[in-house]
Amino acid sequence: MSAWREKLSVEYVKMELMKTAIGNRDTFLAQLDPRILIIWYLAVSIVPWFTFNEWILFTLVVFTSILAIISKVSPLILGLLSFGVVSEIGWITVVVLFFGGDITAFLALLTFTMKITIMSIASIAVFASMDPEKLSDALISFGVPAQFGFGVSYGYRMLPILLDEYQHIFQSFLMRGKGPEKKGVLGWRMAVYYGKIMVLAFYPMILNVAKRTRTTVEALEVRGFPYSLHSKEAKKQKLSYMKVGAGDLVFLGGTMCFLLMIFSGIPYFTA
Amino acid sequence: MTQALIQMNDVHFRYPGSEEWVLKGASLEVEKGEFLAIIGNNGSGKSTLCKAMNGLIPHYYAGDVKGAVSVNGKEAFTSAVAVLSQEVGYVYQDFEQQLMRPTVLDDVAFAPLNFGKPDYKEKALWALEILDLMHLKDQSIWSLSGGQKHLTAIAGALALDPGIIIVDEPVAQLDPYHAKKIYEKLKELNEKHGKTIIVIEHHTEFIADYARTLLLMKDGQVNWKLPVHEGLSRVQELMGLGIYPPQVTQLAAGLNEQRNMSYPITLEQGVSFFQPIPKEVRALSRQMVNGEKNALKTIEAEDVSHHVRTMAGDKKTILNNISLTFGEGEKVALVGTNGAGKTTLLKALAGLSRPSDGEIRVEGNPIRKIRVSDLSDHVAYVFQNPEEMMIQDTVEKDLSFFSRSRGRLEKDQAFLSELSTSFNLHDLSKRDARLLSGGQQRRSSMAIGVAMRPMVLLLDEPTASLDIVSRREMTRMLHKTSDHCKTVIVATHDMELVAEWATRVIVMEEGEVIFDGSPRSLFQDEKTWKKANLRPPQIVELSLQLGCKPVFLSVKEMEEAMKVGAALECMA
């Protein structure tokens, strides 16, 4: 019991979220050029929508899952995702049975779930491996405005600050407020009470953090950020570190071949 | 004709939408290579003055402006911020908000990269080298300590190689040990690299040790600019403005001993100034004793340890086997550098975080089994950041939140109104606490803690980032908390607060208690406070060097002893 508690503490959740956000730097996917990764991600998430063959989809689920495992995705995130998928399949079963549907209806809904799952796993694998800086630089090199690119990387930087602030304000509510005397069946009264605090704690957090960013905006001015927006030279230098290498091309090409193979091969065998 | 590096001529400024002029005819000259400290009370226009030097005024704050400013021969009002920021580096008081990039090297290279300098990386590395930060270059920003973050912010300003560096209140957010390190670096930048340094500073002891010129801002004008020694010797004038000169200076002024028209301003000068100390004074210091510990237990920690996992997955010990008992009537100061485990211990005592091992008991009951909202009837914790106590939209609602949620608002009304009076919050009660000044926010957050009517009140750095006047006020308020709470425990870096308020001081280092006793016994135990990187009040160091043991804790104490001592000496 106590071991469980220790594992699932708030600190643990915070740490796992942070790890996911910052990106594992030493995994296979992390070594690749961020632009290649984004192209790869788009390809893998769009492709499933062009087929209804459940075997192709199943192979893609396995393929993306393997990549997710190689990328050392946080067990917490994987757990949440599988919980979502399993409960979704459960719901589908209930709905299908309730409306008197048969196996075809079930399969139709299942293919939809698998498509969503492929997209989710692929995005987790990619974004957990990608340093936010690289993500933002890749976006800028695709021609997204630099303000947006900066917003992405700054958002990541603010994440730990937001998490801490939120936790403290939540604790403030917990300490000075008072929960229901009786917990209710399955603790529903407590659940409602906690739910309420979780919502209420948002407002002070946003206000406090927004107030502090005033300095940031001013400092951006002093540190030449507005200047860099109009300077081609600055952009060129900022992005100069990104180079597409042989490994990147092999990875992208390999995936394309693999997709081609399963799309042409599997219907042939399962027809 | 040689022109000064910075020249301001009759500068007026008011912020957009404001009626009142913040600068009302400020004029000054700063020479190349100066180390200038700017003092003045809140609202005197110190920060505004500095922002007129790097072009934020009037380019970013487009208010009404009159007069002329030139920086290194460039007309500031007509030059772009981009041009001026390469002449003037600026380090903000809340420097953490100035760091924008994920790693140290990235952040330091941010400005040169923005300006498209081809050698941006070399420039960043050069700045890191000078500030001894090379070993941190690949670290992520949020894993740094406060002192390291501040140095990174300075490096970020230095990377553009500006001739002038302005630092807004370096000491406010740091413990004295790290603050001293920052000043050593600023000194090096000034002496070895020829940078002109301008600091806005409340702590006159740092000014005396490091700055060479002193400027007093008053009502939006430059009142005077003098060599530091001369400026700090104007004790009466400064005290009248709520600026406290170094303690040795205050002592000399109190005893009215002026030699060669000036007072000592540094510890060394103080020692030679007051030497030899009459032996009667030394005898007097020996008569001072401390109160005894009270026997009635309120809260206790037994064998408490806490470990966390770091991002890299290693186990890190934050608290190591701590056993402490607190009694009724105690005013406890918890001290130690950042990262010593003070906050974790306080949060564990308040039940907000559960330690990995050990037990905490309130009046003998283990708190493990008590819900946080029930525990807070006995133990209240006030966050270091006052804004985190503000969960309602007015001060009044925040004060009464605890009583209201427990359905006893009517019953507590008289108490709350009394509280509001004694913490001087009546005029602020309808305002949003987040929008108050730093001092007012601290006052409100402390009152919110007391409004929970706890037996044990825990306060995390209640005087951090306050100017000296507000700090004195907080110390006064702290004395009042003891009227309502049996035990008050304060985590702090403020050694004057320890000396003037605490009855017991606990020194923590790397998760362990290395000292537990009275402030006086701590301060005369030079080995211990040096080991914990503490910096006692100057008067303590003065008494140590003059051979007074037990030491004097305040200027007043020593002044009185010296007066009595002198009288005794005359009689002898």
Side-chain angles (χ1 to χ4, degrees):
Chain A
M1 178 66 193
S2 67
W4 260 100
R5 277 202 78 105
E6 199 169 314
K7 274 235 155 74
L8 271 175
S9 66
V10 180
E11 293 307 316
Y12 169 78
V13 173
K14 262 167 67 181
M15 190 68 83
E16 289 300 307
L17 283 177
M18 284 299 301
K19 272 193 205 159
T20 308
I22 300 168
N24 295 324
R25 286 169 191 212
D26 47 355
T27 63
F28 167 63
L29 290 184
Q31 312 300 323
L32 299 171
D33 187 276
R35 289 166 297 183
I36 295 291
L37 270 181
I38 290 182
I39 295 171
W40 178 88
Y41 165 65
L42 289 176
V44 172
S45 9
I46 292 171
V47 151
W49 301 94
F50 292 106
T51 180
F52 294 100
N53 186 314
E54 52 281 357
W55 288 106
I56 295 181
L57 293 174
F58 183 71
T59 317
L60 281 173
V61 171
V62 174
F63 173 62
T64 46
S65 302
I66 291 172
L67 278 171
I69 291 165
I70 297 177
S71 324
K72 296 188 192 151
V73 170
S74 142
L76 175 78
I77 304 286
L78 276 186
L80 283 176
L81 189 71
S82 1
F83 176 76
V85 171
V86 169
S87 55
E88 170 114 9
I89 291 176
W91 269 116
I92 292 173
T93 318
V94 171
V95 168
V96 166
L97 291 177
F98 186 77
F99 289 106
D102 55 9
I103 187 80
T104 49
F106 179 77
L107 283 180
L109 284 169
L110 190 65
T111 49
F112 181 71
T113 308
M114 283 206 283
K115 288 174 188 178
I116 299 280
T117 310
I118 293 165
M119 279 184 83
S120 333
I121 301 182
S123 35
I124 291 173
V126 166
F127 292 108
S129 312
M130 207 173 348
D131 190 316
E133 280 316 290
K134 286 189 175 172
L135 170 63
S136 115
D137 288 344
L139 290 175
I140 293 173
S141 89
F142 283 142
V144 169
Q147 286 95 328
F148 184 81
F150 177 81
V152 169
S153 79
Y154 185 70
Y156 275 104
R157 197 191 86 72
M158 288 302 284
L159 198 69
I161 297 172
L162 288 169
L163 282 173
D164 276 344
E165 189 76 17
Y166 186 69
Q167 191 190 3
H168 290 166
I169 290 169
F170 189 85
Q171 286 175 335
S172 230
F173 270 105
L174 215 54
M175 201 163 56
R176 280 153 60 198
K178 187 148 181 84
E181 285 298 330
K182 289 181 190 138
K183 291 189 174 176
V185 182
L186 290 175
W188 73 273
R189 283 176 207 273
M190 281 314 277
V192 169
Y193 177 65
Y194 279 126
K196 203 172 124 191
I197 298 184
M198 280 168 103
V199 175
L200 287 175
F202 255 97
Y203 302 99
M205 171 189 79
I206 296 295
L207 290 173
N208 292 349
V209 175
K211 212 181 85 186
R212 268 175 254 160
T213 42
R214 279 194 309 201
T215 304
T216 309
V217 178
E218 209 180 296
L220 275 175
E221 187 83 23
V222 178
R223 303 187 69 189
F225 183 68
Y227 181 88
S228 77
L229 296 178
H230 308 292
S231 157
K232 286 210 174 71
E233 194 54 33
K235 181 177 167 182
K236 211 173 94 191
Q237 269 174 23
K238 185 173 162 53
L239 303 178
S240 61
Y241 76 94
M242 288 196 293
K243 296 227 162 50
V244 177
D248 297 305
L249 293 177
V250 169
F251 175 70
L252 194 62
T255 305
M256 293 305 161
C257 288
F258 176 71
L259 290 178
L260 213 63
M261 243 162 62
I262 60 171
F263 267 79
S264 53
I266 290 180
Y268 181 75
F269 285 111
T270 57
Chain B
M1 192 186 97
T2 56
Q3 203 185 8
L5 185 62
I6 301 173
Q7 203 153 23
M8 282 195 173
N9 219 331
D10 196 25
V11 175
H12 288 71
F13 178 77
R14 66 178 169 200
Y15 284 96
S18 166
E19 289 284 297
E20 208 184 326
W21 293 90
V22 184
L23 295 181
K24 299 170 196 162
S27 302
L28 75 101
E29 280 183 7
V30 180
E31 302 294 336
K32 190 171 162 23
E34 254 186 69
F35 196 133
L36 170 70
I38 300 179
I39 52 173
N41 51 12
N42 284 338
S44 59
K46 301 183 300 271
S47 295
T48 310
L49 183 80
C50 290
K51 283 171 187 174
M53 296 175 191
N54 71 346
L56 279 174
I57 286 170
H59 300 293
Y60 180 78
Y61 292 106
D64 298 323
V65 64
K66 283 188 272 185
V69 178
S70 84
V71 176
N72 201 12
K74 297 186 174 86
E75 220 29 75
F77 291 170
T78 51
S79 309
V81 179
V83 175
L84 289 171
S85 42
Q86 311 203 33
E87 304 287 343
V88 185
Y90 201 99
V91 181
Y92 287 84
Q93 188 181 351
D94 45 349
F95 50 88
E96 289 189 40
Q97 309 305 322
Q98 178 173 3
L99 307 172
M100 338 230 163
R101 308 296 286 172
T103 66
V104 172
L105 180 60
D106 259 354
D107 193 82
V108 175
F110 185 63
L113 185 56
N114 280 334
F115 288 114
K117 311 251 182 225
D119 55 345
Y120 69 94
K121 209 165 210 168
E122 286 74 40
K123 283 188 182 278
L125 291 171
W126 169 78
L128 288 173
E129 184 77 54
I130 288 184
L131 295 171
D132 287 331
L133 291 171
M134 278 307 260
H135 61 291
L136 296 174
K137 76 179 167 56
D138 296 317
Q139 289 248 3
S140 76
I141 291 287
W142 51 70
S143 66
L144 302 182
S145 69
Q148 291 169 336
K149 279 182 189 161
H150 198 277
L151 279 174
T152 306
I154 296 178
L158 182 64
L160 285 173
D161 200 11
I164 303 154
I165 296 178
I166 301 175
V167 189
D168 194 345
E169 298 213 27
V171 181
Q173 311 271 354
L174 299 170
D175 62 65
Y177 170 73
H178 288 103
K180 189 161 184 249
K181 280 190 151 175
I182 297 282
Y183 266 102
E184 287 295 333
K185 280 294 162 198
L186 291 178
K187 184 179 172 190
E188 197 184 317
L189 285 174
N190 178 251
E191 287 173 1
K192 263 171 72 183
H193 302 276
K195 304 288 177 202
T196 303
I197 307 283
I198 300 175
V199 292
I200 300 176
E201 185 57 87
H202 286 297
H203 293 71
T204 48
E205 281 155 29
F206 282 104
I207 295 177
D209 283 344
Y210 294 98
R212 286 197 298 276
T213 41
L214 182 64
L215 183 155
L216 177 71
M217 279 296 281
K218 199 175 154 189
D219 301 326
Q221 287 187 333
V222 176
N223 213 348
W224 43 254
K225 188 179 158 219
L226 294 167
V228 160
H229 204 272
E230 224 173 291
L232 287 178
S233 292
R234 300 190 165 196
V235 176
Q236 303 244 286
E237 184 184 358
L238 294 177
M239 299 272 269
L241 292 168
I243 300 162
Y244 292 82
Q247 289 189 323
V248 288
T249 321
Q250 288 180 44
L251 182 64
L255 294 168
N256 207 9
E257 287 185 31
Q258 203 165 10
R259 294 175 205 161
N260 308 330
M261 291 302 286
S262 69
Y263 297 120
I265 60 167
T266 64
L267 181 61
E268 283 158 15
Q269 290 169 7
V271 172
S272 56
F273 187 89
F274 292 111
Q275 228 160 14
I277 199 97
K279 66 177 185 299
E280 287 80 3
V281 178
R282 267 179 283 162
L284 275 175
S285 81
R286 232 158 271 149
Q287 291 163 10
M288 291 177 294
V289 283
N290 290 290
E292 281 299 300
K293 245 196 243 175
N294 205 307
L296 279 171
K297 272 191 238 171
T298 49
I299 191 165
E300 59 192 312
E302 195 185 319
D303 299 330
V304 168
S305 294
H306 191 60
H307 318 283
V308 292
R309 293 223 169 263
T310 62
M311 288 286 276
D314 316 317
K315 197 168 170 182
K316 195 176 161 199
T317 303
I318 306 288
L319 298 177
N320 192 7
N321 234 337
I322 301 228
S323 293
L324 288 167
T325 306
F326 299 97
E328 204 174 318
E330 279 192 309
K331 299 173 183 172
V332 187
L334 198 55
V335 303
T337 50
N338 291 333
K342 304 187 298 290
T343 298
T344 313
L345 179 61
L346 286 189
K347 283 193 172 175
L349 290 175
L352 291 178
S353 78
R354 193 184 292 258
S356 319
D357 289 303
E359 189 162 82
I360 290 163
R361 286 184 290 267
V362 174
E363 291 187 309
N365 304 312
I367 66 166
R368 218 171 341 113
K369 295 179 185 130
I370 310 176
R371 272 203 263 171
V372 173
S373 58
D374 293 333
L375 182 62
S376 58
D377 288 330
H378 309 281
V379 185
Y381 173 75
V382 176
F383 285 94
Q384 178 179 351
N385 183 350
E387 289 164 343
E388 285 157 2
M389 297 302 284
M390 320 297 181
I391 53 179
Q392 297 288 299
D393 54 8
T394 65
V395 174
E396 192 180 21
K397 282 192 203 164
D398 259 323
L399 270 181
S400 59
F401 188 84
F402 182 82
S403 297
R404 206 170 337 117
S405 69
R406 279 154 182 75
R408 50 171 215 229
L409 189 56
E410 299 254 305
K411 218 174 98 197
D412 287 351
Q413 203 50 262
F415 164 72
L416 290 174
S417 140
E418 181 203 318
L419 201 63
S420 175
T421 314
S422 75
F423 280 82
N424 215 352
L425 294 170
H426 259 314
D427 299 337
L428 310 172
S429 64
K430 299 284 179 215
R431 293 186 48 194
D432 189 323
R434 273 174 282 265
L435 302 177
L436 302 177
S437 75
Q440 293 167 335
Q441 280 191 10
R442 291 273 173 199
R443 228 158 64 205
S444 320
S445 71
M446 194 187 276
I448 291 168
V450 179
M452 294 160 73
R453 309 188 97 164
M455 179 175 68
V456 180
L457 180 66
L458 310 168
L459 297 148
D460 204 345
E461 296 196 28
T463 58
S465 62
L466 291 182
D467 61 73
I468 309 269
V469 178
S470 314
R471 261 170 52 186
R472 300 247 157 178
E473 191 182 12
M474 284 310 278
T475 312
R476 269 203 310 280
M477 299 287 162
L478 259 178
H479 280 292
K480 289 186 182 171
T481 59
S482 296
D483 301 343
H484 305 286
C485 313
K486 287 184 182 165
T487 305
V488 182
I489 307 175
V490 169
T492 188
H493 293 307
D494 184 347
M495 291 302 140
E496 283 178 38
L497 174 76
V498 175
E500 280 162 36
W501 170 80
T503 58
R504 174 182 175 191
V505 52
I506 294 169
V507 182
M508 289 185 72
E509 198 195 29
E510 291 177 7
E512 291 181 29
V513 171
I514 61 165
F515 177 91
D516 185 354
S518 72
R520 213 181 295 275
S521 56
L522 167 67
F523 289 139
Q524 64 201 28
D525 180 1
E526 212 168 332
K527 243 193 198 153
T528 305
W529 57 255
K530 283 206 168 132
K531 181 166 176 252
N533 288 322
L534 301 174
R535 206 180 163 187
Q538 198 176 38
I539 211 76
V540 167
E541 289 193 75
L542 181 69
S543 21
L544 278 174
Q545 296 207 13
L546 291 174
C548 301
K549 266 191 178 188
V551 293
F552 294 105
L553 290 182
S554 68
V555 176
K556 212 173 127 208
E557 231 178 61
M558 186 152 179
E559 194 184 312
E560 272 161 22
M562 301 265 288
K563 280 178 183 160
V564 175
L568 287 175
E569 201 181 25
C570 285
M571 287 194 292

